Amino acid sequence: MNEKLIFDLSRSGRKGYSLSGSDIPEVPLESILPLEHLRSEQAPLPEISESEVVRHFVRLSNMNFHVDKGMYPLGSCTMKYNPKINDYTFTLPGFAALHPLQPAESAQGALRLMYELSEMLREIAGMAAVTLQPAAGAHGELTGILLIKKYHESIGSKRKKLLVVDSAHGTNPASAALAGYEIISVSGNAEGRTDIEDLARKLDSDVAALMLTNPNTIGLFEKEIVRIAKMVHDNGSLLYMDGANMNALLGISRPGDMGFDVVHYNLHKTFSTPHGGGGPGSGPVGVCEKLVPFLPVPVVEKQEDSEGTSYRLSYDHPDSIGRMINFYGNFGVLVRAYTYIRMLGAEGLGRVSENAIINANYLLSLLEANFDLPYPKPVMHEFCLSGDRQKKKHGVRTLDMAKRLLDYGFHAPTIYFPLIVSEALMIEPTETESKETLDSFADALNRIAEEAATDPELVLSAPVTTPVKRLDEAQASRQLNICCL
Ligand SMILES: *Cc1c(COP(=O)(O)O)cnc(C)c1O
C-alpha cells in the first residue's frame, strides 16, 4: 500500500469532467477582472480523470482508520457512528448554499433551525437559554468562563480564581487561564470523585467558579453533586459543567437540575458529526437565568405578529460579552445535530444514554480480569483501565497495546488520560456499537494482554499490518513531511 501523490498521478490534458461545448460566447478575462489581478500562468493543479480521482481518495481512506471502517472507542471523545441522514440534510441546497450575509428574511429556515436547536439543547440540559456560537468544546468553555467573569463584574466582584478538578480535560485549565483566571486544582478522592474536603478548603471568597465534568472523565457520576452545588453557591461562586460528553445523561438527568449555572455541549461528540483532526466542531453553551443577559450576540429570536411567525438576529443586548465567532457558528454541525435529535426524539435520546451506559459496563465486565481497574464500578458511559500490570510484569506499555489494536482492526482508545491514572486506557464504546462488535473488541484486547505475557516483542513492534508502522508521534507533529508545496 503505497499511494502516489495526486500530483504524481497527473497527466497533461486529462480532465475530471466532460461537457459538450458551450453556446455562450467567450469573453476576454481582462474584461471581467483587471489585468493585474489575473494569473500569468495556469495554477499547477493535477490533471486527472474522475475515476482516478475517486479511486485515489478511496485508497487513501482505506489506509486510514475511521469510524465508517471500524470501532473507535475513544474515551472522552465520543466517536459514535454518524448517521448518513445528517449529511443528506446538511447538503440540502437551502442549507449548504446559504450565504452568511444573506438578509434574515431570506434565511428563515436556517434561523428557525438554529432557534429550535437551541430550544432542544436548553431542554436537554435544563438551562434557561443556549448560544450556538462557539466552534468547539474548548471555545464553549472560554465563552462560559467569559460569561461567569461578566456576571461577577456586573455585581462588582473581582474574584480571580477558578477551581478545576484534577481529572479534568486539559482544555478546562487552559480556557480558564485564557480568560485571565488563576487556576487552583481540586483533588479527587479514592473513589475517583471530587474530594469534598479538599473542595471546602479551597473554596474561598476569591473563587469565581468551580469547573466540573459529570460524569467525570473516569466515567463516574458525582454522587454529591447537589451538595457540591450548594457549597459553591453559598460561597457566591458559580458552577460550570464540562458537558462535552453528555452521552450518559440524555433524557435521564439534567445539569440545570443538578445546580449547574453554565454548561457546554459538544455537538460533535454527543450529537454525532464526524470529528477529529481539528474540526469541524460546535460547542454551544447553556446558562441559568441570571447569565442570560450576557450571552453572545447576535441572538436568534422568534417573533410572532399579525403576519405569523418569523425569526431574526437580534443585536440589542447591551450587556452581552459580544461575538465569539464571525457570523453565527458552525452551521453544518448545527444541521447535523438538529437532524440527529429530531430523528431520535425524546424517547430515542433516553435510549442513547441507556445503551451507552449498558455498553460501557458490558465491555468493562469482559476486560476487567486482564487489566487493572483503578476505581470501583459501576461506570456510566466510559471507563478507565490501567496497563500497570503489563508494564511492570512484561515491559509492555499502554502505548504498545494501543498500537497493537490497529492490527486487530480497531482504533486505540484514549491513552494516558486522565493524568491521575497511570498507563491509562480510557474506553468509551458509545451506544452505536453492537454486542458482536463489543465482543470482538474485548477479544482483541484480551488477546493483546496474553501476547504481552507470551510474546512481548510482537506487541512492542506493533502495528505490523498498517501502511505506516510505529511513528515517533512527537516528531511527526513537529516536523511535517510536506512535499509538493
Ligand atoms: C473533547 C472534550 C473537550 C474539548 O472539546 P473540543 O471540541 O476538542 O475543544 C473538553 N472537555 C472534555 C471532557 C472533552 O471530552
Side-chain angles (χ1 to χ4, degrees), residues 6-16 42-49 52:
I6 196 161
F7 292 93
D8 296 335
L9 297 173
S10 172
R11 293 293 176 271
S12 176
R14 264 189 208 158
K15 285 195 173 124
Q42 289 284 322
L45 296 175
E47 297 176 74
I48 186 162
S49 71
E52 283 165 45

Side-chain angles (χ1 to χ4, degrees), residues 95-304:
F95 290 137
L98 273 179
H99 193 283
L101 290 176
Q102 224 165 289
E105 305 82 73
S106 69
Q108 285 293 302
L111 291 175
R112 177 175 166 192
L113 180 140
M114 291 172 74
Y115 179 84
E116 290 183 0
L117 177 62
S118 52
E119 284 297 293
M120 295 188 295
L121 293 172
R122 191 177 69 68
E123 176 68 27
I124 286 169
M127 307 306 288
V130 168
T131 174
L132 300 175
Q133 277 191 25
H139 197 206
E141 292 169 23
L142 178 63
T143 305
I145 296 168
L146 291 176
L147 293 166
I148 289 172
K149 197 168 183 180
K150 188 91 191 217
Y151 162 76
H152 281 297
E153 280 167 14
S154 77
I155 55 169
S157 109
K158 295 195 172 60
R159 299 180 178 226
K160 290 194 180 56
K161 296 192 222 164
L162 262 184
L163 303 186
V164 179
V165 179
D166 62 5
S167 58
H169 196 276
T171 50
N172 288 191
S175 307
L178 204 56
Y181 280 104
E182 181 193 341
I183 293 115
I184 310 287
S185 176
V186 177
S187 345
N189 60 21
E191 269 190 341
R193 298 186 169 85
T194 304
D195 182 338
I196 306 264
E197 271 133 49
D198 194 45
L199 173 62
R201 269 192 299 278
K202 292 176 175 160
L203 199 57
D204 62 29
S205 60
D206 209 16
V207 170
L210 165 67
M211 290 182 91
L212 267 192
T213 309
N214 195 22
N216 67 18
T217 57
I218 311 163
L220 300 172
F221 193 83
E222 290 286 358
K223 291 191 241 175
E224 299 286 352
I225 188 61
V226 173
R227 182 165 158 214
I228 293 174
K230 183 163 187 321
M231 287 165 68
V232 169
H233 291 147
D234 286 351
N235 188 55
S237 316
L238 297 179
L239 189 57
Y240 182 101
M241 176 159 132
D242 177 341
N245 314 115
M246 243 186 261
N247 235 28
L249 300 184
L250 301 176
I252 299 177
S253 65
R254 309 194 306 169
D257 300 336
M258 298 174 207
F260 284 98
D261 302 295
V262 191
V263 57
H264 84 261
Y265 319 66
N266 272 33
L267 298 189
H268 54 290
K269 288 181 182 170
T270 314
F271 301 98
S272 70
T273 288
H275 68 99
S282 177
V285 174
V287 295
C288 66
E289 204 65 55
K290 65 181 173 218
L291 297 180
V292 174
F294 311 121
L295 284 174
V297 283
V299 175
V300 181
E301 287 177 353
K302 183 177 178 177
Q303 273 177 310
E304 313 259 10

